[in-house]
Amino acid sequence: MLLALVLGALAIGLFVRAGEGMPMSAIDEHVHLDTHVRVHDGEYPHRGSLMTMDLVREWACGVGHEAGAAMAPCDHPDLGPVSLPSGVHTTGYIHYPTYFVVGEAYRAVEESVADPDSWVDTYRRYAALVTVAGLLACLAAAWALGLRGAGLVAGTLLPSASAGILLYGTIANPQAAAVLAGALIGWAGIRWMRTGRGFWWLAAATVLASAVAVTHTLPAGAFMLAIIVALLLQRAGWSVAGDWRPRWWQLGVLTLVVVAPVLAYGRWISSRATISNAELYSFVALDSWRTVASGALEELFSIHSPWYVTGSLGIGEDGLLVQRFLRASVNGLPLWVTIAVFAVLAVASVRVVKRVAATRAEEPRVLQPMQLLTACTLAGVLVYPVLLRTSNALNVGFDFPVVARYSIGFAPLLAWLVLVAVQDRPLLTRGLAVLATATCLGLGLATW
């Protein structure tokens, strides 16, 4: 009953907020709305495309933008892409078309049954629907993984328990699908490592994530790393407990699924480009490799937690007193979620490493798949920002910090691994359930 109440409050809150005609979010929403408009008109942006006039008019004459007004009035004859503080070119071409094509199907359905006031809010309601689908996927996966009671509540809500995650259910952004993609990969991968069956479900989930966004496939990296470590330890004389039997060809399949779309889409981008990367990204141009090295080191020692707070959810300032109170009260909870989750994973991972290092040759050397996955997932979250920042410098020629929202796809896997690790400690499970419930219910009611 409690879980149904929280999910209902969240769903209603997200859809209400998505339809309020709020200013465009500073988190690249104007770029994604520009892409939505192009797809609606049967086009797709390329490197060098100017912002569409539909987007310019919406910034200048419609919902506006968090960053401020356009540099030309709504009725000015010179109003155009040059009037936008963000620049004349769109970067929407870097995103796969999948999310936006499905968004058109949603728009067609909505417009067939209603008369929306704003095309902007239509795409935001689509994001809300995708976010709710992610919550329901977490519920189904947590149940399938055997979580019950407080564990089921935490397994369902914890992956979305922050304003930084739920924000994407109120704005136009492919990041709205991150929890959904992460839940499918996490469920399929854990099931495979527990039972030894269902590798192709993991591959299929990774294909789906890869078709939406590159960053949505990051959780699959934890399973790829687990395969590598397990196979190397097997060569050193270790055996794997249970029925999980990793193979090199499975690593090859997952690598192909993740990397092939990136390479193919990159070539397609280059074939259509009308300006260079250096021209488009001049504002974050690569300074020196010394800067890249120091930046990569900074990424390594920063926890890119998917649970973070953002003021961009835009609730509480003009709401009722109870809404402002709810918003303020749940603002700090994602920090506690981060501390609880990463502390448990760190302790569990250190124990795994120490046990592997301390095991002597004459002792039984048996690898526990779930313990291995825990260590590999934590390692993946810590290392991927270093690889991504270095890759951006090598392939695109710009140096920019990796943002925490790229980790959102990890949230379901991180949450479920923690719940598995503390399953014999019901007090910790209940504590995580209380944190997740308070955050999600508070945000849901505050946006309602």
Side-chain angles (χ1 to χ4, degrees):
M1 177 62 78
L2 174 63
L3 190 52
L5 173 65
V6 177
L7 289 174
L10 263 181
I12 294 173
L14 291 174
F15 276 97
V16 168
R17 184 61 187 170
E20 289 183 341
M22 56 187 174
M24 285 182 266
S25 171
I27 308 179
D28 300 333
E29 188 178 18
H30 69 288
V31 171
H32 301 303
L33 286 171
D34 180 84
T35 304
H36 273 302
V37 169
R38 291 179 188 275
V39 173
H40 184 70
D41 293 337
E43 306 172 1
Y44 207 76
H46 62 268
R47 192 170 72 214
S49 291
L50 301 180
M51 291 290 185
T52 59
M53 284 304 299
D54 284 355
L55 188 280
V56 171
R57 293 189 191 96
E58 199 62 44
W59 188 319
C61 320
V63 298
H65 197 286
E66 286 182 344
M71 293 183 291
C74 180
D75 56 353
H76 198 280
D78 294 334
L79 182 69
V82 72
S83 308
L84 302 185
S86 61
V88 299
H89 295 108
T90 179
T91 55
Y93 70 89
I94 65 174
H95 297 278
Y96 298 146
T98 319
Y99 177 84
F100 303 97
V101 171
V102 178
E104 280 311 297
Y106 172 83
R107 179 174 179 175
V109 171
E110 182 176 290
E111 291 180 346
S112 70
V113 298
D115 185 18
D117 295 332
S118 166
W119 60 270
V120 172
D121 286 351
T122 293
Y123 293 123
R124 288 170 173 171
R125 282 187 287 268
Y126 163 57
L129 181 64
V130 173
T131 300
V132 172
L135 285 161
L136 295 177
C138 286
L139 170 61
W143 181 273
L145 293 173
L147 298 174
R148 298 293 184 270
L152 181 62
V153 172
T156 302
L157 300 178
L158 197 61
S160 300
S162 84
I165 297 174
L166 293 175
L167 165 68
Y168 297 102
T170 65
I171 65 174
N173 196 311
Q175 202 68 38
V179 170
L180 175 59
L184 296 176
I185 290 175
W187 163 76
I190 291 176
R191 179 178 179 271
W192 172 53
M193 291 188 68
R194 274 181 166 180
T195 66
R197 302 187 305 273
F199 168 77
W200 291 109
W201 283 111
L202 173 59
T206 307
V207 167
L208 179 62
S210 183
V212 179
V214 176
T215 54
H216 292 359
T217 64
L218 288 173
F223 297 98
M224 295 163 68
L225 183 58
I227 293 173
I228 295 172
V229 174
L231 290 173
L232 292 178
L233 286 177
Q234 282 182 317
R235 288 191 174 186
W238 286 74
S239 61
V240 178
D243 298 319
W244 182 55
R245 296 293 178 266
R247 298 287 185 267
W248 287 114
W249 67 262
Q250 294 168 333
L251 176 65
V253 169
L254 293 179
T255 302
L256 179 65
V257 167
V258 172
V259 174
V262 177
L263 298 178
Y265 195 67
R267 295 194 63 175
W268 187 70
I269 287 174
S270 298
S271 69
R272 303 172 69 239
T274 55
I275 63 174
S276 66
N277 283 320
E279 182 178 352
L280 183 59
Y281 298 108
S282 59
F283 63 101
V284 286
L286 183 61
D287 182 23
S288 68
W289 286 106
R290 185 176 302 173
T291 304
V292 174
S294 62
L297 192 63
E298 180 182 352
E299 302 290 357
L300 180 62
F301 288 96
S302 301
I303 297 179
H304 294 73
S305 171
W307 295 283
Y308 62 96
V309 177
T310 177
S312 296
L313 195 55
I315 55 178
E317 295 85 351
D318 301 319
L320 300 173
L321 177 61
V322 66
Q323 290 178 306
R324 295 199 296 269
F325 174 76
L326 285 169
R327 179 72 170 94
S329 65
V330 300
N331 243 351
L333 293 183
L335 175 60
W336 290 104
V337 173
T338 294
I339 292 172
V341 169
F342 281 86
V344 171
L345 291 180
V347 171
S349 300
V350 168
R351 287 177 177 173
V352 172
V353 174
K354 287 177 65 176
R355 189 173 67 83
V356 170
T359 302
R360 299 177 180 177
E362 63 273 14
E363 297 176 339
R365 292 185 288 179
V366 180
L367 198 60
Q368 299 295 330
M370 292 307 295
Q371 294 179 357
L372 172 64
L373 178 60
T374 298
C376 289
T377 301
L378 182 61
V381 174
L382 295 177
V383 170
Y384 93 80
V386 179
L387 301 178
L388 184 57
R389 186 158 182 175
T390 305
S391 174
N392 286 338
L394 288 170
N395 298 322
V396 187
F398 70 77
D399 183 35
F400 196 76
V402 175
V403 292
R405 66 176 178 268
Y406 293 160
S407 297
I408 293 177
F410 274 108
L413 181 57
L414 291 169
W416 298 335
L417 288 175
V418 167
L419 292 169
V420 169
V422 302
Q423 60 187 347
D424 58 342
R425 299 184 180 182
L427 186 61
L428 289 176
T429 301
R430 293 191 193 103
L432 290 169
V434 169
L435 277 176
T437 301
T439 302
C440 291
L441 183 60
L443 288 170
L445 294 176
T447 52
W448 197 334

